[in-house]
């Protein structure tokens, strides 16, 4: 059992059976190696320790691990049906014009052709135009430079998703 000083959402995560923790982490990131590393680090005293473990695990992912993680992300502008996380994160594309959506589709295809994987960006809080501009700019990168950017963007996405995972639920919050 986790200490009572641990925030309730994090305590719940710490106390999950291993298979349940793995499933919850897979929702945050499709890399099994990343998930195993975070499970191995439990229990976490606070969210910052969990986030630091996530960053350390991201830094150690192999090319195959990164490919596995990226395979869990739909293209920008086309969130996976039934995936509330990708729809929420890509909200900036929801109000985009038909022209911008068509351009983003073309950029996604050009990016995938050049780099062999989906264009990955931490879309939370970004407008459709900002995502388009980032895709345009990143098409000029070398594969080596792009891999490092992808690792950073994936790390940002993971931290946002981990924060949601360990956030207190309504019954945990103090009442006024």
């Amino acid at each position: 059992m986790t200490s009572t000083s641990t925030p309730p959402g994090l305590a719940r995560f710490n106390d999950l059976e291993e298979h349940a923790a793995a499933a919850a982490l897979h929702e945050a990131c499709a890399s099994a190696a990343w998930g195993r590393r975070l499970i191995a680090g439990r229990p976490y005293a606070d969210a910052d320790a969990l986030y630091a473990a996530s960053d350390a695990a991201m830094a150690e992912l192999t090319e195959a691990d990164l490919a596995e993680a990226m395979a869990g992300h739909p293209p920008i502008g086309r969130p996976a049906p039934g995936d509330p996380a990708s729809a929420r994160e890509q909200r900036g594309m929801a109000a985009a014009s038909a022209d911008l959506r068509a351009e983003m589709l073309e950029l996604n295809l050009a990016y995938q052709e050049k780099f062999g994987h989906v264009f990955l960006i931490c879309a939370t809080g970004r407008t459709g135009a900002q995502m388009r501009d980032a895709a345009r700019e990143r098409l000029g990168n070398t594969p080596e430079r792009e891999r490092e950017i992808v690792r950073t963007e994936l790390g940002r996405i993971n931290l946002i998703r981990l924060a949601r995972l360990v956030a207190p639920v309504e019954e945990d919050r103090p009442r006024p």
Side-chain angles (χ1 to χ4, degrees), residues 54-132:
S54 175
D55 288 344
M58 279 303 307
E60 293 182 6
L61 292 184
T62 66
E63 292 297 317
D65 297 331
L66 278 173
E68 180 181 37
M70 287 184 287
H73 290 270
I76 295 295
R78 295 186 297 166
D83 181 358
S86 65
R88 179 178 53 252
E89 292 164 357
Q90 293 189 28
R91 193 174 332 183
M93 285 301 294
S97 69
D99 288 346
L100 179 56
R101 290 164 101 35
E103 185 177 2
M104 195 68 223
L105 175 61
E106 289 175 21
L107 288 165
N108 278 326
L109 293 171
Y111 182 96
Q112 188 151 0
E113 185 174 316
K114 179 173 182 178
F115 296 111
H117 56 79
V118 69
F119 170 67
L120 188 74
I121 188 169
C122 183
T124 299
R126 292 181 190 245
T127 66
Q130 289 171 323
M131 289 182 263
R132 177 208 52 214

Side-chain angles (χ1 to χ4, degrees), residues 2-20:
T2 308
S3 163
T4 57
S5 64
T6 303
L10 182 59
R12 256 191 314 283
F13 171 71
N14 284 336
D15 291 341
L16 286 174
E17 296 289 331
E18 188 169 329
H19 67 86

